Amino acid sequence: MTADLATLAQADVKMLFMESYGIASYDIKNIREAVGPARKAFADAVASHGLDVVSAFVTPPIFAGGSGLSHMSLLAGIDTTDPFRYHLLLTSDRPTLLSAFRQHDYETIGIGLYSGRTPESAFYRFDYLYGAQDLQYSGPDVGLWKVPDQFAMARVAQWHPPAQQGPSRFVFFPTLASHLPFSPAPPVQHDWSTLTGPARGIPQLSGSHDALPVDWNNLGPAYGRSLVYTFDWLTSFLGQEHPRGCVLILVGDHQPASSVSGPDAAWEVPVHVVTDNAKIFERLKNAGFVAGINPGDGPIGRLHELSLILLDAFSSPREILTQPNTWRLSD
């Protein structure tokens, strides 16, 4: 975690763990057909804004639940397949991606999870950490998780507005819209100013198919709609101002439940990285990513190995093992 982050050139970094975003969204025909147009629209918007996207599959430590183990695996660069290791890490002072960014004067911002006096909040030590209550959402509740993901992102942008001056930001945001039971999916607000204005939220869901009761015996359609919502608001997010530049990292935490993904489902999750930085783009391709929104065949590694791949892409060429237990990351 001693990377110098020189190639980032102080661009903001937003890392979103897309809840339950797994290879099932590519492998299962009905879900692929539902999500595909929204995913393609996101890729088209990336290109229209002069950005590039690369994609890959990685293997997370978990299946269908236990998101915190995936968060830890990527942020700490440690395999957390054994939950005991996760709990042990929480008692340690292990450096993380957060500490790597703080070393280079980034503000670290966490959204949605680990707020309050929790072992995770003590371990990660975000500069700013916003739970659901902290976001001051007063719109209609959206399902079990209350606060729409788009509002959460808009609120943090309101309180920490993108600017050419001042500290760069590393934002960590585990989304919730695609969490079991995957419904309801709120409408996307394309005028982001309405999200944090007097109404503070979204229109009511009445009259929408997503206001219907959850069909626990057939969750696949709701799962697809939840991912469509996520890609739709992310497509809109690309059009917001990013004066310092922004690297957007989208990564699945685990597969959806087996009631959606089916028996003997694969474990892999997609990773998408959006950037306007040609060096980062090329380094990620050299690490096994492919250009575009569709990952290549097979995983490029395990989720905890993605930490070093990202730091490698963001930093100067490596000087290997300059002293025991330290390293610098390379092309």
Side-chain angles (χ1 to χ4, degrees):
M1 301 298 175
T2 58
D4 64 18
L5 306 184
T7 303
L8 270 178
Q10 296 301 125
D12 292 329
V13 176
K14 292 180 169 59
M15 176 180 286
L16 276 67
F17 262 97
M18 291 174 60
E19 170 67 34
S20 302
Y21 182 42
I23 197 172
S25 66
Y26 287 91
D27 283 355
I28 298 176
K29 182 175 183 293
N30 290 343
I31 298 174
R32 181 177 66 248
E33 291 177 347
V35 178
R39 198 155 38 198
K40 182 180 183 301
F42 174 77
D44 290 344
V46 167
S48 70
H49 290 292
L51 306 169
D52 289 303
V53 59
V54 290
S55 303
F57 287 119
V58 295
T59 305
I62 51 173
F63 186 98
S67 303
L69 276 71
S70 277
H71 303 163
M72 176 71 79
S73 185
L74 179 53
L75 290 177
I78 292 286
D79 182 6
T80 57
T81 304
D82 182 351
F84 177 78
R85 185 174 291 157
Y86 171 83
H87 292 291
L88 182 61
L89 280 165
L90 288 176
T91 71
S92 75
D93 59 357
R94 162 78 182 180
T96 66
L97 291 182
L98 296 169
S99 52
F101 277 87
R102 276 196 299 267
Q103 288 175 13
H104 297 285
D105 300 322
Y106 274 72
E107 286 183 345
T108 58
I109 301 171
I111 307 175
L113 293 178
Y114 310 131
S115 61
R117 298 180 64 181
T118 64
E120 287 83 1
S121 65
F123 174 77
Y124 289 125
R125 299 187 299 278
F126 289 97
D127 295 315
Y128 299 93
L129 183 57
Y130 300 107
Q133 295 299 320
D134 303 314
L135 294 170
Q136 301 175 16
Y137 174 70
S138 60
D141 289 350
V142 180
L144 297 177
W145 313 112
K146 311 299 185 184
V147 180
D149 291 333
Q150 186 187 11
F151 172 86
M153 182 66 94
R155 175 64 86 200
V156 169
Q158 178 190 32
W159 289 343
H160 303 273
Q164 190 67 47
Q165 305 299 320
S168 301
R169 276 78 179 245
F170 176 86
V171 177
F172 177 75
F173 181 17
T175 67
L176 286 173
S178 51
H179 196 293
L180 194 79
F182 315 120
S183 184
V188 172
Q189 298 296 94
H190 295 287
D191 182 354
W192 284 63
S193 66
T194 64
L195 288 161
T196 53
R200 290 189 183 177
I202 62 169
Q204 294 287 345
L205 297 173
S206 58
S208 164
H209 63 268
D210 282 318
L212 298 175
V214 174
D215 183 356
W216 290 96
N217 294 314
N218 184 24
L219 289 171
Y223 173 70
R225 290 194 297 270
S226 71
L227 290 179
V228 168
Y229 162 74
T230 300
F231 275 109
D232 282 352
W233 78 255
L234 285 169
T235 297
S236 180
F237 171 75
L238 293 174
Q240 302 305 297
E241 290 188 4
H242 306 286
R244 196 190 295 270
C246 177
V247 176
L248 179 64
I249 304 165
L250 309 176
V251 54
D253 55 359
H254 52 67
Q255 284 288 95
S258 58
S259 57
V260 174
S261 56
D264 303 317
W267 283 46
E268 281 69 45
V269 295
V271 182
H272 311 296
V273 181
V274 177
T275 180
D276 64 354
N277 188 309
K279 288 183 178 179
I280 292 174
F281 179 74
E282 290 300 324
R283 288 178 183 177
L284 291 175
K285 287 201 300 180
N286 290 339
F289 282 75
V290 297
I293 199 66
N294 296 312
D297 296 330
I300 62 170
R302 300 191 65 82
L303 180 58
H304 69 276
E305 296 171 315
L306 181 60
S307 303
L308 296 186
I309 291 173
L310 293 173
L311 289 175
D312 184 7
F314 296 162
S315 301
S316 299
R318 172 172 20 196
E319 299 173 13
I320 301 175
L321 292 175
T322 56
Q323 53 183 318
N325 299 320
T326 65
W327 62 87
R328 294 178 184 268
L329 299 156
S330 77
D331 290 330

